[in-house]
Amino acid sequence: ASDSNMDTKPSETFSLKYPEDDRLPDEAKRVTIGYWDHRGLGQVVRLTLAYLEIPFEDKRYKVGDPPNFDKAVWAEDKYNLGLALPNLPYVLIPEGVCGPDGDLASKPSVRSVSFPLKLTQTYAILRFFARTHDLLGATEPERTRADMLVESMRDIQDALFQ
């Protein structure tokens, strides 16, 4: 007997059409993001992938009802995904993932990465996509300004969650 709170919400797939044609990558070529069934820390990753036009599967883990807020559904996957530091959010990036500007693995900053790539921790994920899509700035002052903005946003986020 399965408790409905123990099941993951059906995965949603975010899809974008590529400018050059109407094809979408098959399931194996999509990034997977895993997070709780609410926006929280996973939402900024979802928004970043959407901004970069990278199709993704949105795997949401449902938390049980109060007062216990059972998280057993995450425990079932936690140590079976091959994550170095099992945590939410996570992203799974298979070989061949591409956005509108081509295969992620072809970018100079990613050529030495072994795929599939499995990342956890919101800001590590965001910095990975920022580095691989030239969003960090071209000069050291621009990169420093981007870091300051990220850390300021983290301060605001921390204050909201207290």
Side-chain angles (χ1 to χ4, degrees):
S2 174
D3 181 341
S4 64
N5 290 328
M6 299 295 287
D7 297 329
T8 57
K9 179 180 178 182
S11 295
E12 298 173 15
T13 301
F14 179 85
S15 299
L16 289 162
K17 289 187 176 181
Y18 291 93
E20 62 275 5
D21 63 28
D22 290 335
R23 291 177 299 130
L24 288 172
D26 62 27
E27 200 71 23
K29 304 284 187 192
R30 292 187 177 138
V31 169
T32 298
I33 174 172
Y35 193 65
W36 300 114
D37 189 19
H38 63 269
R39 289 179 291 209
L41 296 172
Q43 189 66 9
V44 69
V45 177
R46 292 180 195 107
L47 292 171
T48 299
L49 292 171
Y51 174 77
L52 295 173
E53 299 184 17
I54 298 174
F56 63 92
E57 178 184 351
D58 194 5
K59 180 162 185 173
R60 296 182 180 228
Y61 295 91
K62 188 171 174 77
V63 177
D65 293 328
N68 297 330
F69 301 102
D70 185 19
K71 297 179 180 175
V73 69
W74 164 234
E76 292 172 12
D77 278 356
K78 187 173 186 176
Y79 298 107
N80 296 319
L81 294 170
L83 303 170
L85 299 170
N87 206 351
L88 295 173
Y90 66 78
V91 293
L92 308 176
I93 307 170
E95 188 167 7
V97 164
C98 58
D101 59 346
D103 186 351
L104 183 60
S106 69
K107 294 182 175 294
S109 59
V110 185
R111 286 194 185 129
S112 62
V113 172
S114 296
F115 288 90
L117 186 59
K118 300 175 180 189
L119 304 173
T120 60
Q121 301 293 348
T122 304
Y123 292 97
I125 294 167
L126 295 175
R127 285 191 172 106
F128 171 79
F129 285 109
R131 281 192 305 273
T132 58
H133 291 82
D134 300 321
L135 299 177
L136 288 179
T139 66
E140 191 54 38
E142 289 175 356
R143 288 188 290 272
T144 301
R145 194 171 308 118
D147 283 340
M148 291 181 343
L149 180 60
V150 166
E151 296 306 324
S152 294
M153 294 308 296
R154 189 187 328 226
D155 289 345
I156 292 168
Q157 186 175 36
D158 289 347
L160 291 172
F161 285 115
Q162 287 182 358

